[in-house]
Amino acid sequence: MRPSPEFAELFGRPPVVEADAPGRVNLIGEHTDYNGGFVLPIAIPQRTRVQLATRDDDQARLFSSDFAADGVREFTIGSEAQTGEWLDYPQGVLVALRDAGLRPGGFDARVDSDVPLGSGLSSSAAFEVALLRALRAAFALPIDDLRVARLGQRAENGFVGAQVGIMDPLAASLADEQSALFIDTRTLDYRRVPLPRQVELAVLSSGIAHAHADGDYNARRYECEQACALLGVGELRDLGLDDLARIAALPEPLDRRARHVVTENARVLAAVDAMRGGDVDQLGKLFYESHASMRDDYEVSIPEIDFLVDLARAEADVLGARLTGGGFGGSVVLLARRGRAGAAARAVAAAYNRRSGHQAAVLVPIGLSPGRRG
Ligand code: GLA
């Protein structure tokens, strides 16, 4: 494959700023962020990079190495129009900035990413946050990291049309690879929770891409809103384990949807305690419980992902496994004994590839080789 063109080749001059942002894997706390609940993402090594140079007019010209065949795409700032394609993400970012009273000028940008697309690792938030950081640097925009995250979410909710929560842009804006970010999505308070020394993570993609804007994700959001209306609460976050009996009286499937959110919030808090206390067996157990809840109550898993989790459970060095991200495809995150994540993930991928008819890929640890991590 021809390597994609460099910035100077595309735009005839060098970039003036460069910025980047990571993908993320959520350890636990799924479909809780749009319910005012708790999440626990951590950054992955894969990142999206944006090189950018300002222009004297209102044109935004962008090239993405993920869509190299598209060449340079262009839009006029102030006249954004939906395309249903990747260009909607940068257009959404410009619209969100303008709605916030911020008006960067035109620019040329080259985007390059190794965050896999459609794998539940938040490639879209990595793109939005990297672009916002590049624009912040180039146009001296007065936006802090929290604001960057909110603008990323706004771009996606408003222009792209995916009603995603705040977790992914916050993780792209604030998370690192050493500590998970415990976020209370109601207050946006966050704390860093180091991964216990005895464990490491692996991420395996199922080979089946998801698409949130496709309606399933938005349908779950709507079900949560219906459950709130029937229960007379503003957000499912307002409920706790004591309310499970009331929740059970909701019509099907709202009872199971609400039960997932309430029990998942409790699992995030328990996971933070387990991480702080170094109780890695308990942490692993919470991963499995979270997966079962997403599969049975929230119904966002698919048989192939369930199969990956079952294969992981059969590995002696795996302590826990679960679907990560929005679901309907995507990836699983494995919690394994230190030094064993890579080997365990490879064994799971090999069994899956033999028996499922799909191709799993070990995405984290990246660059697996004997003697490295795993
Ligand atoms: C997607 C969304 C997030 C979150 C997860 C599910 O990744 O972007 O906001 O809702 O799904 O936890």
Side-chain angles (χ1 to χ4, degrees):
M1 209 168 65
R2 187 175 168 267
S4 55
E6 297 301 325
F7 192 96
E9 201 180 320
L10 291 162
F11 301 112
R13 58 204 175 116
V16 293
V17 297
E18 300 202 7
D20 66 2
R24 64 97 188 96
V25 59
N26 190 22
L27 299 188
I28 195 162
E30 222 69 79
H31 291 275
T32 48
D33 64 347
Y34 52 84
N35 286 300
F38 306 120
V39 293
L40 196 62
I42 188 166
I44 57 173
Q46 288 93 339
R47 304 182 80 84
T48 298
R49 292 162 289 275
V50 172
Q51 298 172 302
L52 186 144
T54 56
R55 299 172 57 90
D56 295 334
D57 58 17
D58 280 341
Q59 289 308 104
R61 304 178 71 225
L62 294 103
F63 171 88
S64 164
S65 62
D66 275 327
F67 301 94
D70 286 3
V72 173
R73 299 287 304 267
E74 192 164 339
F75 63 92
T76 304
I77 299 174
S79 306
E80 292 81 5
Q82 269 145 342
T83 63
E85 297 169 32
W86 66 271
L87 201 65
D88 286 355
Y89 291 95
Q91 292 197 98
V93 163
L94 269 296
V95 171
L97 283 168
R98 190 164 56 252
D99 289 350
L102 297 162
R103 293 172 187 279
F107 60 89
D108 293 332
R110 180 183 187 280
V111 186
D112 172 45
S113 180
D114 52 7
V115 183
L117 304 180
S119 296
L121 301 178
S122 183
S123 55
S124 49
F127 180 14
E128 290 147 7
V129 170
L131 178 60
L132 280 158
R133 285 177 168 169
L135 292 169
R136 172 170 71 184
F139 295 98
L141 301 177
I143 48 177
D144 63 11
D145 290 341
L146 212 55
R147 189 92 186 278
V148 163
R150 284 181 185 276
L151 288 164
Q153 183 192 20
R154 166 110 196 156
E156 217 157 319
N157 289 171
F159 198 82
V160 177
Q163 298 309 313
V164 293
I166 191 71
M167 167 169 71
D168 298 348
L170 258 186
S173 191
L174 296 169
D176 59 57
E177 289 173 50
Q178 281 70 47
S179 298
L181 205 60
F182 168 67
I183 306 165
D184 179 337
T185 64
R186 171 173 275 179
T187 60
L188 297 190
D189 286 342
Y190 62 89
R191 271 178 284 149
R192 296 184 195 275
V193 186
L195 204 61
R197 276 197 315 277
Q198 312 91 296
V199 289
E200 64 186 2
L201 301 169
V203 178
L204 272 162
S205 71
S206 61
I208 301 172
H210 71 95
H212 318 121
D214 266 352
D216 290 319
Y217 182 93
N218 292 350
R220 290 295 179 281
R221 278 198 76 132
Y222 181 60
E223 288 171 340
C224 290
E225 284 165 20
Q226 286 180 298
C228 286
L230 291 172
L231 290 163
V233 295
E235 285 186 309
L236 291 178
R237 162 66 184 278
D238 296 324
L239 302 170
L241 296 177
D242 293 348
D243 296 297
L244 286 176
R246 277 175 72 203
I247 288 172
L250 286 171
E252 161 73 19
L254 303 184
D255 53 346
R256 287 181 293 122
R257 305 296 189 251
R259 183 168 63 190
H260 165 75
V261 174
V262 167
T263 58
E264 185 77 350
N265 277 331
R267 282 186 290 271
V268 178
L269 297 176
V272 169
D273 284 348
M275 284 170 76
R276 291 236 161 87
D279 189 348
V280 297
D281 292 321
Q282 169 66 3
L283 185 60
K285 190 166 159 265
L286 291 162
F287 272 42
Y288 286 129
E289 287 173 7
S290 169
H291 183 75
S293 180
M294 290 175 83
R295 180 192 60 207
D296 302 335
D297 280 353
Y298 218 65
E299 294 183 288
V300 289
S301 189
I302 56 171
E304 291 81 1
I305 293 270
D306 298 339
F307 186 41
L308 278 172
V309 171
D310 288 342
L311 289 168
R313 198 190 293 270
E315 290 293 315
D317 291 316
V318 173
L319 300 163
R322 56 181 292 280
L323 166 62
T324 186
F328 308 105
S331 300
V332 299
V333 55
L334 309 190
L335 182 76
R337 294 190 200 288
R338 177 146 217 91
R340 307 302 306 158
R346 264 184 301 212
V348 170
Y352 176 86
N353 293 352
R354 259 196 326 273
R355 292 166 55 190
S356 71
H358 296 280
Q359 285 295 312
V362 179
L363 303 176
V364 176
I366 50 176
L368 275 180
S369 63
R372 271 194 81 191
R373 306 166 64 195

